[in-house]
Amino acid sequence: MSNLPFPRIAVIGAGQMGAGIAQVCATAGCHVTVRDVDAEQAAKGKRAIEASTAKLVEKGKLTAGDRDAALARISFTDALGAAAQADLVIEAIVEDLEAKRALWRELDELAPPSSVFATNTSSLKVSDQAEVTDRPDRFLGLHFFNPVPLMGLVEVVSTAATDPGIVASATNFVRTLGKEPVLARDTAGFIVNVLLIPYLLDAIRLLERGGGTIADIDAAMKLGAGYPMGPFTLLDTVGLDTVLRTTRALFAEFGEPRLQAPAMLERLVVAGRLGRKSGKGFYDWTVVPPVAVEREK
Ligand code: 3HC
């Protein structure tokens, strides 16, 4: 415990990413406070952590004792002040710049000056958040990937103002989570999403043009290109709302036509078909195995 760079972690937001981040931090030995104002979301996050750790025990990747110890290190709160008392605060709320800036302003008042702030943004510039705090030197991006307990990468994003010592501690911290850090520049989308999002959008446009069915495009990329999941399974895993917000942020930054959101993506999000987390997206996840919804209506 004592050799952890950040022994006390606060995770703000108990959604898919927040729950996953809390889980991997607690499994590594950190004490984690998860803050969510929505009690239902907090309960959902707690259940996701329990289900994920149960699966890892079942697969022999975690002992039952280590699982119990990790779960005992996680607590939930709706009070930001309680969460702010941490060595590292990781933000995983909605991908909305103004919401994130408002959160950081509040946290900057509540947290001790020593606390380090990290955003898990997928697409927004870290500096646009850091600038509203009095600690831009202790502010960076830590971008995790979905599903967090299984994915081996974290993008570590520093701004021109981030203290190199903080970057070193954060990089070390990522390794203690059993993940590989890569250093990325503070440009929208960092490394992975700049490459991944256009590919996912192209898959949707291919479907819109009738270039293949959901099931066939997924099978094609899995078996023909060696991807671990096809693009539509991945879209549903990441969450279509998250993909749409990320797409809009990338379009705002780079303005390339290829980064414009396809109409089908917009329609599915408006219809509440967000993917795995809502039960339906390109696939119907309420049945086993999930079935591709080849017609929208
Ligand atoms: N915790 C524990 N287990 C989980 C889990 C979780 N959160 N999520 C899924 N699993 C389990 C499943 O239940 C399944 O269990 P089963 O075998 O008993 O059915 C198992 O993991 C899936 O195992 P598979 O044998 O199908 O696959 P692998 O274990 O070999 O790989 C994977 C799973 C690592 C998720 C792989 O499919 C993969 O790499 N997919 C691509 C994911 C990806 O690209 N993520 C990045 C998205 S981009 C992003 O997040 C950035 C954001 O900013 C947009």
Side-chain angles (χ1 to χ4, degrees), residues 1-7 172 176:
M1 177 83 192
S2 56
N3 58 355
L4 289 167
F6 303 107
N172 185 11
T176 65

Side-chain angles (χ1 to χ4, degrees), residues 52 55 59 122 143 145-146 151 193 196 228-229 234 238:
S52 173
K55 183 65 119 180
K59 294 202 156 179
S122 353
H143 183 214
F145 293 83
N146 209 325
M151 299 304 286
N193 280 336
L196 183 63
M229 10 170 112
L234 185 52
V238 170

Side-chain angles (χ1 to χ4, degrees), residues 30-55:
C30 304
H31 285 271
V32 185
T33 305
V34 184
R35 187 263 190 168
D36 205 301
V37 277
D38 179 346
E40 205 176 301
Q41 185 60 62
K44 209 170 161 190
K46 190 164 187 271
R47 283 198 300 275
I49 294 171
E50 285 163 0
S52 173
T53 49
K55 183 65 119 180

Side-chain angles (χ1 to χ4, degrees), residues 111-166:
S114 57
S115 297
V116 171
F117 288 176
T119 172
N120 177 56
T121 180
S122 353
S123 53
L124 302 168
K125 273 162 94 168
V126 176
S127 51
D128 288 343
Q129 297 177 53
E131 71 181 19
V132 302
T133 71
D134 282 335
R135 63 184 88 199
D137 54 325
R138 304 181 75 75
F139 200 116
L140 79 170
L142 286 178
H143 183 214
F144 291 77
F145 293 83
N146 209 325
V148 178
L150 304 186
M151 299 304 286
L153 182 75
V154 177
E155 289 175 322
V156 178
V157 188
S158 56
T159 73
T162 317
D163 178 340
I166 297 294

Side-chain angles (χ1 to χ4, degrees), residues 14-260:
Q16 214 166 233
M17 295 305 285
I21 294 167
Q23 178 183 327
V24 296
C25 291
T27 305
C30 304
H31 285 271
V32 185
T33 305
V34 184
R35 187 263 190 168
D36 205 301
V37 277
D38 179 346
E40 205 176 301
Q41 185 60 62
K44 209 170 161 190
K46 190 164 187 271
R47 283 198 300 275
I49 294 171
E50 285 163 0
S52 173
T53 49
K55 183 65 119 180
L56 296 175
V57 170
E58 184 190 310
K59 294 202 156 179
K61 292 183 179 167
L62 190 66
T63 67
D66 286 348
R67 183 260 321 267
D68 293 346
L71 293 180
R73 280 190 286 266
I74 305 177
S75 60
F76 287 81
T77 182
D78 60 1
L80 196 59
Q85 308 310 308
D87 304 302
L88 172 67
V89 181
I90 305 176
E91 164 283 312
I93 66 166
V94 65
E95 193 68 352
D96 176 283
L97 182 59
E98 281 320 312
K100 289 184 196 285
R101 283 162 65 103
L103 173 71
W104 289 126
R105 278 195 199 95
E106 239 185 295
L107 276 166
D108 203 27
E109 297 281 319
L110 295 168
S114 57
S115 297
V116 171
F117 288 176
T119 172
N120 177 56
T121 180
S122 353
S123 53
L124 302 168
K125 273 162 94 168
V126 176
S127 51
D128 288 343
Q129 297 177 53
E131 71 181 19
V132 302
T133 71
D134 282 335
R135 63 184 88 199
D137 54 325
R138 304 181 75 75
F139 200 116
L140 79 170
L142 286 178
H143 183 214
F144 291 77
F145 293 83
N146 209 325
V148 178
L150 304 186
M151 299 304 286
L153 182 75
V154 177
E155 289 175 322
V156 178
V157 188
S158 56
T159 73
T162 317
D163 178 340
I166 297 294
V167 178
S169 301
T171 304
N172 185 11
F173 168 68
V174 168
R175 292 209 174 90
T176 65
L177 302 181
K179 305 206 181 286
E180 188 66 27
V182 292
L183 299 177
R185 277 190 53 216
D186 187 24
T187 51
F190 314 128
I191 296 173
V192 172
N193 280 336
V194 163
L195 299 174
L196 183 63
I197 296 293
Y199 155 72
L200 295 175
L201 301 179
D202 280 348
I204 299 173
R205 279 188 281 262
L206 183 62
L207 178 69
E208 285 178 331
R209 291 197 303 271
T213 63
I214 291 169
D216 280 353
I217 295 170
D218 267 3
M221 293 313 289
K222 262 184 85 167
L223 303 176
Y227 282 43
M229 10 170 112
F232 294 105
T233 305
L234 185 52
L235 280 155
D236 276 2
T237 300
V238 170
L240 303 190
D241 52 339
T242 301
V243 173
L244 182 57
R245 282 178 181 276
T246 306
T247 299
R248 287 183 179 148
L250 289 176
F251 184 71
E253 175 78 6
F254 300 111
E256 293 167 17
R258 195 179 174 211
L259 292 169
Q260 230 155 0

